[in-house]
Structure formats: structure tokens, C-alpha cells
Amino acid sequence: MRFGIRTLDEVQVKGKTVLCRVDINQPVDRQKGTLKSVNRIRACVPTVRELSDKGARVVLLAHQGSDIEYKNFYTTRPHAAVLSQLLGREVRWVEDVCGPTAREAIRSLKDGEVLLLDNVRFCAEEQTLFEMKLRLSHEDQAKTQVVEKLAPLADLYVCDAFAAAHRDQPTLCGFEQVLPSYMGRLFEKEFCTVSQVMEAPDRPCVFVLGGAKISDAFLMMNTVLSRGVADKILTGGLVGNIFLTALGREIGKGSVDFILKSNYGEYIDKAKELYGQYGERIILPVDLAWTEEGVRKEAALGAVPAEIAATDVGHETAALYRKAILEAKTVFVNGPMGVFEQEASEYGTKEVWQALADTQGFTVLGGGDSITAAEKYAVTDKMGYICTGGGALIRFLTGEELPVVKALRHGAGL
Ligand code: ADP
Ligand code: MG
């Protein structure tokens, strides 16, 4: 038991039918019918292999895409082929989630065999419960079709989908109401790592917050500052620009227009408030960069031209941040320092990401673009921990109990 949740060390799975929810949601090439990345499939291999090696009859449940990114809504068939290759053993697949075909396939499983069901979000219940559209209690989620049809065929439930731990949906929170429940190895690793950062980080603990997902950044800043988790927050990207604007610093009309155009105006007041309360721990850029006809320009604060749109932090800021990161014992990172996709505005991100690679401190990196930046600068292997779940990680750092964590704690008592 760790953090109130049972682990796979506490169960005998031989001959048992295990429903195992994974998050293998990947970008899809619809034209070719293939996956553009297989990171998340690779990440859940240890759990699937362990269950199969121990003689469980493994039934995998997974989603692919959502109504927000409809282009990505797709069958899990290609995932089965990739998983089979990574596992080096057959992974069966059925074009069904909880109908007669799926149930027959589950009943026919032999010890050690692995079956992947089709996209659980093809079930209306899973889909309509997505996010806020319809809120069902966890008890009511246990009465959905998918849980009522599949749970009687299974002995236990394993959740290995930490990346989806902030979702309140039947295949994530419903089975825990009726089956003894456990977290898989990936879930255990991710949840325990981030819990450690939150509860007892080695100090100094530095947060690096940039990028463009402003609501997430502000949601968690308050928590990590008020609870004393963060000794310092290094700001960059739009996060930095919003703080600078809130403090009345001149950062160029284009920068402010971008904030307003993105509907982030309300965060200027929040930034003012946060800075008023915790200003000594919130570190702001001292210089900014922008692009003129493809050429990078920089200026110290106070000398930033009136019209520009800042797309990166400057050299001075990058050097300051590098120093703070090298001195830190724990570094949590979400969001790049600038528009790193373009050469003229990549310097800040490149330099800071290199510092993450060089520091002796333990680094935790989350967020799609932050991970892309780590890949671009070839520092992925140097990170202490790369979290597969961006949204779940942020939601966790805001201090709220994640729905799946709550459900697994309930399922630990069954
Ligand atoms: P992550 O995916 O790591 O959570 P975000 O999605 O929050 O990060 O932010 C990444 C995006 O932010 C990148 O596409 C980057 O170009 C953009 N970005 C960073 N700095 C700026 C800036 N100053 N102005 C506009 N966009 C920015
Ligand atoms: Mg992103």
C-alpha cells in the first residue's frame, strides 16, 4: 500500500481476469492508420508484461482521442499491433468494448494472454461523462453499461493510467466501486514521484513555469507557493509576460495584445495579487527577446521598444535561471521559456533545458511541448522524471485529490 492505494506487490494474479485501464492515447496518422508516436504504449509495457508473466488474463481498456481533439478519435487497433511488438507476445484485439463480442473474447482468455478492447470512448457513457458535461458520482459510474457488463467477468481492476487520473469517467473511476483495485507500475512510479515533490521536496525546490497554458500555471502557482512547496518560481513564456504586465513593466504592445487576444487579461490581476503576496519567490525575466524579419533582437527591461511582441526571454535571464537551476535540489518544469519552435526565439528554452540536463538536482518535466523541447535539445535522458500526463500532473499540483486516486483508495478497501 502506498499513499492509500494498493500496489501489484499485494496481489496474486495467476489465473485471474484483470481489467487494466491504460492511457495509450497517441497522435494518429489517420490517412495511414498508424500512430505517430508510441511513448505512452512503451510506458505501460512493464505493467502489462508483469501481469502476463504472472499468469493473469489481461484485459486492457484504453481511449484514443477526445471530442476536444476530434481528429484524434480513433480505434485502438493499431495500438494492439504496437503493444504486441513491444511486448514480444501476441496481443488480441476486438472491435467491441463491452458487447457480446468483447465479453466472449474475455471469457476465452487463457492464463498470460493479453486482450485489448476497442476505444472505450466509443461508449456514449464514457464520452458524455468527459469533463463537465454530465457529472456522475463514482457509485453511479458503477451502474454504467461498461462496468455492469465487464466487472462480473473480472477478479480485479488495475489502473495504470496516471495521465488520465484527472478524468472522472466510468472506465477510470467506476470499476473501483465493485472490484478490488490496484495501481499499475507506471501509475505507482508517476504518482509517488509527484507526491514526493509535493510533500517533501529536497531543497531548494525551484519551479520553472513558462508556456501558454496560463490557467493551469496560475491554478497551481497559488498552491505551491501557499504550501511552501516552491522556494522559487522562475517565470518565462506567456506566464512571465503576464507578471511583467501586471507590474507595469514595458514589454511591448504586441506582447500585451497577445495576452488580451488569448483572453488571458483576467490573469493580469491574479498575477498582481500573487506577486503582492509572494513576490520575493516569484522571479521575473530581466530581459526579453523578439523577432524582426526573422532576426532575433534583445533588450533589457526598461529598454524594450514600444511595439514589439516578446517571444523569448533574453540571455541575461537565461543565465540567471541556469544558475538557480544548478543550485536547486528539486526542479519542476512545465512550459517553455519562449516560442522555441522557431530558431530566433529558441535560445531561452534551449539554455534553460540544458541547465536541467546539467543540474545535480532531481528534475521533473511535464507537458507536451516541454517534452518536445527536451527531445529537440536531446536532453530527454538527462531528466530525472518525465511525466506522461500533463493535465493530470498540473491538476495534482493544484492540491486537489484526483478522481482516479480517490477511486483507487476506495477500491483498496474492497
Ligand atoms: P506544455 O505543452 O509544455 O504544457 P504549453 O502548451 O503551456 O506547454 O506552452 C507551449 C507553447 O507556448 C509553445 O507552443 C510556445 O510556442 C508557446 N509560447 C511560449 N512562450 C511564448 C510567448 N512568449 N508568446 C507566445 N507563445 C509562447
Ligand atoms: Mg502544450
Side-chain angles (χ1 to χ4, degrees):
M1 194 96 109
R2 298 183 77 181
F3 297 97
I5 303 176
R6 285 202 208 112
T7 74
L8 292 183
D9 292 327
E10 295 158 70
V11 63
Q12 293 284 341
V13 294
K14 183 157 175 50
K16 293 192 176 150
T17 300
V18 177
L19 294 178
C20 179
R21 177 63 157 96
V22 290
D23 187 336
I24 49 176
N25 189 21
Q26 304 268 281
V28 172
D29 183 331
R30 291 176 78 92
Q31 229 128 58
K32 295 197 199 124
T34 56
L35 305 177
K36 292 194 213 160
S37 159
V38 300
N39 291 345
R40 283 181 166 171
I41 303 184
R42 187 170 285 122
C44 76
V45 165
T47 297
V48 179
R49 189 187 298 285
E50 178 175 344
L51 291 170
S52 165
D53 280 349
K54 287 180 171 171
R57 304 168 179 203
V58 188
V59 182
L60 300 173
L61 297 136
H63 70 276
Q64 173 59 53
S66 72
D67 54 355
I68 292 173
E69 34 168 25
Y70 198 77
K71 290 196 295 297
N72 222 355
F73 209 75
Y74 205 70
T75 167
T76 59
R77 183 172 210 155
H79 306 64
V82 172
L83 180 61
S84 172
Q85 211 168 29
L86 293 172
L87 269 176
R89 61 191 72 167
E90 190 196 351
V91 173
R92 290 164 61 189
W93 177 84
V94 279
E95 194 177 356
D96 190 13
V97 180
C98 59
T101 314
R103 301 204 298 276
E104 189 43 47
I106 293 170
R107 281 194 204 95
S108 72
L109 280 175
K110 298 192 181 63
D111 293 3
E113 285 187 344
V114 182
L115 165 74
L116 174 63
L117 303 174
D118 209 346
N119 187 350
V120 293
R121 287 190 183 160
F122 288 160
C123 291
E125 292 165 323
E126 191 84 1
Q127 185 60 11
T128 49
L129 290 177
F130 189 79
E131 297 280 82
M132 312 296 189
K133 276 174 230 157
L134 176 65
R135 278 275 174 203
L136 278 193
S137 68
H138 287 181
E139 293 76 26
D140 283 342
Q141 287 183 32
K143 294 175 199 143
T144 55
Q145 281 283 300
V146 67
V147 177
E148 288 209 321
K149 297 285 184 194
L150 297 185
L153 304 180
D155 299 289
L156 53 111
Y157 174 78
V158 172
C159 187
D160 211 23
F162 184 72
H166 56 312
R167 304 280 185 222
D168 212 339
Q169 295 177 296
T171 64
L172 288 156
C173 300
F175 290 108
E176 290 94 325
Q177 312 309 312
V178 290
L179 289 174
S181 304
Y182 302 79
M183 58 181 164
R185 296 301 183 192
L186 176 64
F187 196 111
E188 183 181 348
K189 197 166 77 174
E190 304 211 296
F191 182 57
C192 293
T193 300
V194 297
S195 297
Q196 168 73 19
V197 172
M198 212 34 189
E199 279 167 30
D202 285 336
R203 295 189 184 277
C205 175
V206 170
F207 277 60
V208 180
L209 294 185
K213 261 190 264 100
I214 301 306
S215 50
D216 282 351
F218 275 84
L219 219 61
M220 74 186 224
M221 260 190 288
N222 202 10
T223 311
V224 298
L225 286 166
S226 65
R227 293 192 182 183
V229 179
D231 295 308
K232 253 183 209 171
I233 295 184
L234 312 176
T235 62
L238 275 189
V239 180
N241 287 355
I242 288 176
F243 272 105
L244 291 171
T245 306
L247 299 186
R249 307 304 304 263
E250 175 58 63
I251 64 165
K253 184 171 177 303
S255 315
V256 180
D257 284 349
F258 191 86
I259 293 168
L260 299 177
K261 191 182 77 196
S262 315
N263 287 324
Y264 292 142
E266 58 170 305
Y267 291 100
I268 296 175
D269 284 339
K270 292 206 174 108
K272 210 180 285 178
E273 209 175 294
L274 217 51
Y275 197 85
Q277 212 169 348
Y278 305 107
E280 75 288 355
R281 284 190 279 151
I282 301 173
I283 315 299
L284 307 181
V286 294
D287 55 355
L288 293 171
W290 67 96
T291 308
E292 274 174 31
E293 285 162 18
V295 181
R296 181 185 178 93
K297 306 272 170 149
E298 283 195 16
L301 278 184
V304 175
E307 295 299 320
I308 62 107
T311 49
D312 193 14
V313 299
H315 277 59
E316 194 77 21
T317 306
L320 282 174
Y321 287 6
R322 177 177 170 82
K323 186 161 174 288
I325 290 167
L326 293 182
E327 286 166 0
K329 292 273 169 47
T330 307
V331 191
F332 172 87
V333 192
N334 184 238
M337 295 292 100
V339 183
F340 72 99
E341 296 92 339
Q342 289 164 23
E343 204 187 322
S345 47
E346 73 166 345
Y347 179 83
T349 306
K350 194 174 180 182
E351 189 67 7
V352 166
W353 262 232
Q354 189 56 49
L356 298 173
D358 296 340
T359 184
Q360 300 290 313
F362 183 71
T363 49
V364 180
L365 183 81
D369 293 292
S370 301
I371 293 171
T372 304
E375 283 163 0
K376 184 171 181 188
Y377 305 125
V379 294
T380 314
D381 297 345
K382 305 263 174 57
M383 297 298 140
Y385 190 65
I386 291 184
C387 198
T388 58
L393 178 61
I394 303 289
R395 215 67 82 77
F396 177 83
L397 289 169
T398 64
E400 67 177 86
E401 187 181 42
L402 300 173
V404 177
V405 168
K406 183 175 179 211
L408 282 169
R409 283 179 175 147
H410 178 86
L414 298 183

